[in-house]
Structure formats: structure tokens, C-alpha cells
Amino acid sequence: QKLSKARRDTIMNTDVLIVDEISMLHDFRLDMVEEIARTVRGGDRPFGGLQVVLCGDFFQLPPVSRYDSRAGSFVTASQAWNNGAFTVCYLEKQYRQADDTAYTDILNGIRAGFLTRSQLNALQARGDVTADPFTPRTRLLTTNVDVDAINLEHLAELTTEVHEYPMETSGGKQYVETLMRSCLAPETLRLKKGAIVMCIKNAQDKKYVNGSLGTVVGFEPYTDYPIVQLLNGKEVTIKPDTWELVDGEKRRAQVTQLPIRLAWAITVHKSQGMTLDAARIDLRKAFVEGMGYVALSRVRGLKHLILDGFNGMALRVSALAREIDAELRARSEAAVQDNQSLIETWKAREAERKLKPEVEPEKPKAKIGSWAEKLEKMREEYPNAYKPWSEKEDQKLIDLFGAQNTTKQLSKLLGRHPGSIRSRLKKHFGDEIIA
């Protein structure tokens, strides 16, 4: 009854809802989603007839239950799951460790709860490896305290100049705080030349992906954006990116920050879902089942791993996860038999599609000038374009806006692009301030 019309419309008009990393969602939360979708859309079908796709691996980290909140379990304990709402498709092809079958066998051994002596020896031998000092290697640790201490210590050791990048936010305070918790971008990012960093988002131009490691080798003139040399040798300029919290057609919050973070160390929890080029892992303080498996499975092979040590909990996986895995395999096999005719039809269509001649893709349009050239041209009209906002300039904007100046007038008075003026006003006053 309290849902806004925009949110109801979103639920009514949605065709497919995809929930990734499903092992991290509590059972009662999935039931909440099911009840709301069914109530809004009407009828007796699960989720009101909305198609729901759950993706994940129950051998990874379980849902986090805080001491002051309701306890729960995997979604397989939910009513929605046990009422038979889902068809299971068990994905077996390994991509991340495809080039290291021995390491794949070790990870599968951890999932099964049994490692051979030679596999255990192979893991322990990674503790005696001498790290290449010229290869950026992220340390995975189990606690935030250890991670923050290591990153600050390494940054302080660099004698180069500090460059600071404050996060820009807009929207209601509660929504902004929720969005900041869900993305890995720091509120204030401090960098120096020589800092080890990790990309925390996939680039639109595919120059880097979530988890790419690199070293800050310089800073771009005019913008001060960091230039990062990735492990593959390529240099990329990291430009600000945006995370949004959208409710229907309304944007509740937005944060803008450089999509990188210091990466001498990160927590195992925050590494979930990432592929790391190289990692040094310390599991001596592992405190929950699945933690060691998540950490070890971030790298592509044994040669990319240095293991500082592990405790008795580190290589354990949940007994419940193993039970669930057996059930999923059985249900997937049954689903294949039940849908055999559909599968054969799909295979025939795929074979027919592959026989058709491929249409040549359009050639990409030539790039018009460098970023520096574009910025120089832009500053002919807007002298302060892409320059950081000072507190004094912010206050001037607020005063001028209070004097009933239009966006166009503010742009001329402050030497900023109208879009920048609007973004800054939203930061101070919220989305509703701009008609």
C-alpha cells in the first residue's frame, strides 16, 4: 500500500528480474520480493508471473547476518524456492581457470570437502614463492581493519605528491548512503604516482574491466585524471564514472567518482565476483565457511597466487552448500529431460544461424581530436570547464542561484558548462531543484 505509483509501474512493466550473487541474499528477502511482485501484479502465479533469474554459487559466501537483524539462510530455504517456482540449469563450464586444470581440480576438491596430499602441498608451496616486485599484486585479507592499515601504510611510503578526488553526490541522504555502501568507490580517493590501484567497474570502451590491476604512472594535464598502466602494459586515463540508485523512472541518488581504489589490499568479501590478475592471500584469520574458496577462486591459476597461510576454517565449505549442490545437479538433469524438445529446437536454430553469412559490422567513426584539444576548445566558451569546484566557488553558486539567476546566467557568470551547473545544484539541493 505504501509503494509509489512509479515503483508499482516498474514492477508491472518488467519482463525479467535478474538477481546475481544469489548466495548472498537471505531466504526471507526473496520471499519479500515474491510477495510484493505477486501483490502488485495480481493473480496467484509466483512473483505475479514475472520471470525471475537467479545466478550464483552457494559454495561462496553466505548471507551476512548482523547481530541486530533477523537471521536467515540461503534462498533455498525460502517458500518461493520450495513452492517449485524455479527450474534449475546447472552451469558446468569453467572460464576463469580454464587454462589451469590442476588449479581447477584443487578448487573442485575444496567444494567437495576433500583435497589430496599433493593438492594441499601445491597450495602450501605457494607460501614459499618470492614475489616479483615489479608485478602489482593485490593482497586479499579477511578484515577491513587490516586492509585499511596496509593501503594507508603503502600510500604513505610513496614520496610523490598526493592527488585528492572527492566523491560528488546528489539525492536524498538515506539513498546516497545506501548507494555508497553498495559500490566500492571511496568517498575521498587519495592517489600518488606509483600507487597500486584496481578498477572497480567495467569500462564502456572495454579498455579495462572490474578487477583489472595497475600502477598510477602519472596524471593528465588540465583534468588531473590519473594515468594507469595496466598489467597488460597498456596505459589508460581513468575518468569519472557514475553509480545510480533508480526507483522506477526517478533517480533517487547518484554518486560520481573515479572507478578505481587503492589495491595493495582488499577484503575477501569485496573481492567476490572479481577476477584478479594476481593476488597475495592471507587466510590465517578466516572466520566463515566459503571464505577461502572465494579468495582462492579469484585468480586464473596457481602461478598467479601467493598464499601467506590459512587456518582450520579457511578451506571449509558449508555442508549445507554441498547438500544444495547435489539437489541442484539432480533438478538440472530432470529439467534437461523435461525440456528436451525445446533444447533440440534451439540447437537446430543455432546451427541454421551459424550457416548464414555474417553481416560486416559498421566501421567505427574516426575520433575527432584528443581530449586535451576538446577541453581546450570547450574552455574557449567555458573557462572553468572540468576544473575542481572550490568551497568559495560553491558558495558563490549558491548565492547567485538564490538571487533567481537562470542556469544560463549562472553558466556565464561562473564560466562553467550549463550541465555542470545543473549537476552541482542537484548535489546541493537534490534532483527536484531543477525543473
Side-chain angles (χ1 to χ4, degrees), residues 105-106 109-110 113-124:
D105 291 341
I106 289 174
I110 295 173
F114 177 78
L115 287 177
T116 65
R117 172 50 60 185
S118 62
Q119 288 174 331
L120 194 59
N121 289 343
L123 274 181
Q124 290 175 322

Side-chain angles (χ1 to χ4, degrees), residues 7-110:
R7 188 170 292 183
R8 286 173 175 266
D9 288 345
T10 297
I11 296 172
M12 285 296 298
N13 297 328
T14 295
D15 296 313
V16 185
L17 169 66
I18 301 174
V19 186
D20 199 9
E21 300 292 356
I22 193 61
S23 68
M24 302 176 82
L25 190 74
H26 286 96
D27 50 358
F28 59 84
R29 295 197 192 282
L30 183 64
D31 281 334
M32 177 191 73
V33 173
E34 192 282 325
E35 183 177 356
I36 290 172
R38 180 166 36 84
T39 302
V40 171
R41 294 167 68 96
D44 297 325
R45 291 183 299 170
F47 297 91
L50 173 66
Q51 184 181 28
V52 181
V53 181
L54 311 180
C55 314
D57 180 2
F58 292 105
F59 283 103
Q60 298 202 53
L61 293 168
V64 175
S65 296
R66 294 181 172 85
Y67 71 94
D68 58 347
S69 62
R70 179 178 172 183
S73 184
F74 289 126
V75 292
T76 52
S78 67
Q79 290 183 5
W81 182 273
N82 289 307
N83 287 343
F86 294 96
T87 299
V88 177
C89 177
Y90 198 103
L91 305 176
E92 296 185 340
K93 189 169 182 178
Q94 176 59 261
Y95 287 92
R96 185 176 292 143
Q97 290 87 24
D99 295 331
D100 191 338
T101 55
Y103 194 51
T104 299
D105 291 341
I106 289 174
L107 294 175
N108 286 337
I110 295 173

Side-chain angles (χ1 to χ4, degrees), residues 2-11 175 244-253:
K2 294 180 181 179
L3 288 179
S4 66
K5 182 180 184 300
R7 188 170 292 183
R8 286 173 175 266
D9 288 345
T10 297
I11 296 172
Y175 294 116
E244 292 183 335
L245 185 62
V246 178
D247 181 5
E249 294 182 358
K250 190 173 183 64
R251 187 179 63 197
R252 295 292 187 182

